[in-house]
Amino acid sequence: MTTRPRILTGDTPTGRLHLGHYVGSLENRIRLQRDHDCYILIANVHAFTTRAQQPEDVRRDTIEIVRDQLAAGVDPSLATFVVQSEIPAIAELTFLLAMLIPFSRVMRNPTLKAEITSKQLGDHYSFGFPLYAVGQCADILAFRADLVPVGEDQAAHVEMTREVARRFAQVYGAEVFPVPEPLFGRVARLPGIDGVEKMSKSRGNAIYLSDSTDEIRRKMARLYTGRQSADEPGDPDNVLFQYARAFLPDPARVEELAAGYARGGMGDAPIKREVADAIDALVAPMRERRARFTDDAVLDLLREHARRANAVAGETLARVKDAMHLTFA
Ligand code: TRP
């Protein structure tokens, strides 16, 4: 029996993890795994909302994202990886919960709306695309999570999940689901090295956890601050300083640099180099750990973890069906 508060979080596998993932949610998972019962979802079914034609890539990215997290410090003896497609209760729960939320409410979900715009889906998205938002409620509720560590872009999904959890209790008079709380990362939104957009693979502005020292230095050198000359006073809240605050370990050092920068006469280049070295120090141990997790090792682990995850989600589904008078056998 475990009485530790339970966490469910995860990602759609779209490629390797980058620094935005790290400060948004990954470092919280690693910090909380010891005193929480921690489930980390790989939303490979959701990946089909936009990549139904690339099943092999989705499979590869699923393995890769587990490897990235193991490398980053997720301990597989503490946390449980959940490959979404391996958990039938999630799919079943999605259908059942979809009855408790108006379609118009789903379509007003701001994260969903933003994705339709940013991915230029127009009105050509599949039926499954808006359904994924209900699926995300099912992911969280299947594990009866208390806490959902996510980036702020996921806030709307957690809010919808809270509504569904309350609605279920109201309609069926059963306390199956805790109303989960979101937990946001230390950095709300890390810009990419273009200095403008949020860091993301699709925008080509990401520094990956698997980048080499050289790549990190080169990308940091390219970080666009828009500053014309080292003589003019710099803005100590610009993108470079957002990176400095996110990655330099000593806050006093950041404030010392910020003061010099604001006075003028301090160039971007040495600060970029110092930040690059701090990022490199953060990811260096990840490089070493990554090498230890072969595909076979990852697949073995996922098999064992699917058993653990199915036990929890299966129990949830049984309680849900019981509350809904759907138990016949
Ligand atoms: N939508 C999330 C993303 O793209 C991934 C996700 C799916 C998730 N189900 C979840 C995150 C449940 C937290 C909880 O990053």
Side-chain angles (χ1 to χ4, degrees):
M1 269 308 282
T2 169
T3 53
R4 293 178 299 165
R6 193 173 285 161
I7 284 178
L8 181 294
T9 182
D11 312 270
T12 308
T14 53
R16 290 165 300 155
L17 292 176
H18 53 61
L19 292 176
H21 293 118
Y22 187 78
V23 295
S25 170
L26 186 49
E27 70 178 352
N28 270 337
R29 300 173 197 178
I30 294 163
R31 181 168 62 84
L32 297 169
Q33 62 184 344
R34 262 183 202 292
D35 38 19
H36 291 72
D37 189 17
C38 197
Y39 293 84
I40 302 179
L41 178 87
I42 299 96
N44 64 332
V45 178
H46 293 188
F48 282 75
T49 55
T50 54
R51 292 201 292 161
Q53 271 94 297
Q54 289 99 43
E56 281 129 1
D57 294 354
V58 174
R59 181 186 166 81
R60 171 98 320 256
D61 288 346
T62 298
I63 295 170
E64 226 47 76
I65 202 172
V66 173
R67 196 192 334 270
D68 258 351
Q69 296 187 78
L70 291 165
V74 171
D75 180 342
S77 69
L78 297 173
T80 302
F81 287 106
V82 181
V83 175
Q84 200 174 41
S85 60
E86 291 292 305
I87 315 298
I90 292 177
E92 208 170 328
L93 203 55
T94 301
F95 206 148
L96 298 176
L97 297 178
M99 313 305 171
L100 293 182
I101 183 156
F103 183 66
S104 60
R105 168 66 183 89
V106 175
M107 297 314 290
R108 275 198 306 273
N109 178 311
T111 297
L112 209 62
K113 279 167 59 177
E115 270 178 293
I116 291 172
T117 310
S118 72
K119 295 178 180 163
Q120 300 181 306
L121 302 179
D123 56 2
H124 301 295
Y125 49 81
S126 64
F127 193 97
F129 180 74
L131 183 62
Y132 104 74
V134 182
Q136 184 151 345
C137 301
D139 296 332
I140 296 168
L141 297 179
F143 289 87
R144 283 165 275 139
D146 302 293
L147 201 60
V148 188
V150 281
E152 279 178 15
D153 61 319
Q154 299 293 308
H157 291 324
V158 181
E159 185 49 43
M160 225 173 77
T161 307
R162 293 166 57 83
E163 288 173 30
V164 171
R166 287 199 202 95
R167 182 96 183 121
F168 187 91
Q170 207 177 58
V171 173
Y172 300 112
E175 295 296 323
V176 178
F177 306 122
V179 177
E181 298 282 344
L183 175 71
F184 300 120
R186 173 168 72 89
V187 180
R189 176 187 173 280
L190 186 70
I193 58 168
D194 56 2
V196 183
E197 304 277 0
K198 189 182 127 177
M199 185 176 285
S200 81
K201 180 196 176 190
S202 56
R203 296 191 181 96
N205 64 3
I207 298 177
Y208 292 96
L209 301 180
S210 50
D211 277 350
S212 68
T213 306
D214 246 31
E215 281 167 320
I216 292 169
R217 284 187 183 158
R218 257 188 291 119
K219 287 178 178 178
M220 273 309 296
R222 261 169 43 211
L223 178 71
Y224 183 73
T225 65
R227 193 155 173 245
Q228 301 297 335
S229 103
D231 300 330
E232 68 186 47
D235 170 10
D237 291 312
N238 72 4
V239 61
L240 177 53
F241 274 88
Q242 292 176 46
Y243 274 64
R245 292 199 173 83
F247 299 108
L248 291 183
D250 177 8
R253 174 67 183 151
V254 178
E255 290 330 305
E256 180 189 350
L257 288 171
Y261 198 71
R263 253 182 267 121
M266 183 187 277
D268 286 3
I271 307 173
K272 286 179 173 179
R273 181 55 186 262
E274 193 167 330
V275 173
D277 288 347
I279 293 170
D280 190 55
L282 174 74
V283 304
M286 302 184 193
R287 272 183 218 124
E288 282 170 35
R289 273 195 298 262
R290 180 175 287 102
R292 292 209 291 272
F293 296 103
T294 61
D295 276 16
D296 282 347
V298 170
L299 289 169
D300 282 347
L301 194 105
L302 290 180
R303 217 166 293 121
E304 182 201 322
H305 283 202
R307 274 195 293 275
R308 277 172 17 198
N310 270 315
V312 176
E315 189 194 321
T316 306
L317 184 65
R319 285 163 64 176
V320 164
K321 289 176 101 172
D322 209 40
M324 294 175 76
H325 299 265
L326 288 171
T327 308
F328 291 92

